[in-house]
Amino acid sequence: GIPGMRNVVKRKTHKERGQVASRKGLGPLEKKKDYRKRAADFHKKQDALKALERKAAFANPDEFTHDMTRATTRGGVRVVTTGKTFTAAEIRDLKTQDLAHIRLRRTQEQKMLEKLESRLHFTSELGAAALGVAPSAASTAADAVLEEPEDPLVAAARRKELRKAAELRLRRMNAVAISRERVQQLKELEDALELTQRLQAKGNVRKTVDADGNATFRWTQARKR
């Protein structure tokens, strides 16, 4: 016979046996591959538990560990002390590093915002180019295109181009709004860190609170000798 004809003849489709109706509440029928995966996971956990039990059984309670220098017992309860305590100067240096990082992030986000705004302007020009008019008259021309009777194919192509331009402009407008909000948040965080840093520095400061609860700080200039 012809060698290639055996691939043309439809063969019997072998289906996997499913869960019987009386056991539907137990979930799908478990196959051999599912059992092997479940069994491997079970034995792995059992081996880990046996290893921990063996380690605890042979552990020497008098052997030195670095945890002994950080832990103590109070009333029969093990208490672990906190790590290193920072001085005021070290905390001030850490906040200075945070301020520098926030400034860098704000500068990067500001550049990204400018790039997104330029893309948004370019999207307006694309929509105007699709209509063959100036960007300032794009919306009026779009209404005219939708109202003017013309060739159906040309009108459908114009509507498709307008729809794509509108969707692209909407996505870029959302990106610009998100970027502006992020820049504003970083600016507020930067101002708060600067204020905290100035309040921790040396000098006389006077705090005044208005009727709305807004605090204002004034620094008195030190007299030069």
Side-chain angles (χ1 to χ4, degrees), residues 60-136:
N60 182 8
D62 299 327
E63 183 180 359
F64 173 78
T65 59
H66 289 283
D67 190 52
M68 293 179 178
T69 61
R70 298 189 298 268
T72 183
T73 303
R74 297 176 186 173
V77 179
R78 182 173 178 271
V79 179
V80 179
T81 57
T82 57
K84 178 184 176 183
T85 57
F86 297 96
T87 62
E90 290 174 338
I91 293 176
R92 188 161 55 248
D93 293 340
L94 290 174
K95 289 187 177 180
T96 303
Q97 295 175 8
D98 292 342
L99 180 59
H101 176 69
I102 292 298
R103 282 175 178 167
L104 176 63
R105 287 288 310 279
R106 186 177 64 83
T107 304
Q108 293 174 346
E109 194 63 37
Q110 185 67 37
K111 291 181 180 179
M112 179 60 67
L113 175 60
E114 294 173 358
K115 186 182 295 185
L116 290 174
E117 288 177 344
S118 64
R119 289 179 180 176
L120 181 60
H121 179 69
F122 180 68
T123 307
S124 301
E125 293 180 350
L126 281 179
L131 296 171
V133 296
S136 59

Side-chain angles (χ1 to χ4, degrees), residues 10 14 21 45 91 99 130 154 162-163 167 181 202 211 214 219 222 225:
K10 182 174 177 59
H14 297 277
K45 292 176 180 177
I91 293 176
L99 180 59
V154 177
L162 288 173
R163 193 182 307 111
E167 292 175 355
E181 184 179 359
K202 295 181 180 179
N214 299 321
W219 280 264
R225 297 184 179 179

Side-chain angles (χ1 to χ4, degrees), residues 130-133 138-150 154-159 162:
L131 296 171
V133 296
S139 60
T140 306
D143 297 337
V145 166
L146 296 176
E147 293 176 359
E148 284 183 1
E150 56 178 350
V154 177
R158 287 280 186 90
R159 282 195 294 268
L162 288 173

Side-chain angles (χ1 to χ4, degrees), residues 185-200:
Q185 291 175 352
L186 290 172
K187 183 66 172 64
E188 293 175 357
L189 183 57
E190 180 183 347
D191 294 341
L193 286 174
E194 284 183 349
L195 178 60
T196 304
Q197 191 175 13
R198 291 191 63 186
L199 290 174
Q200 290 179 347

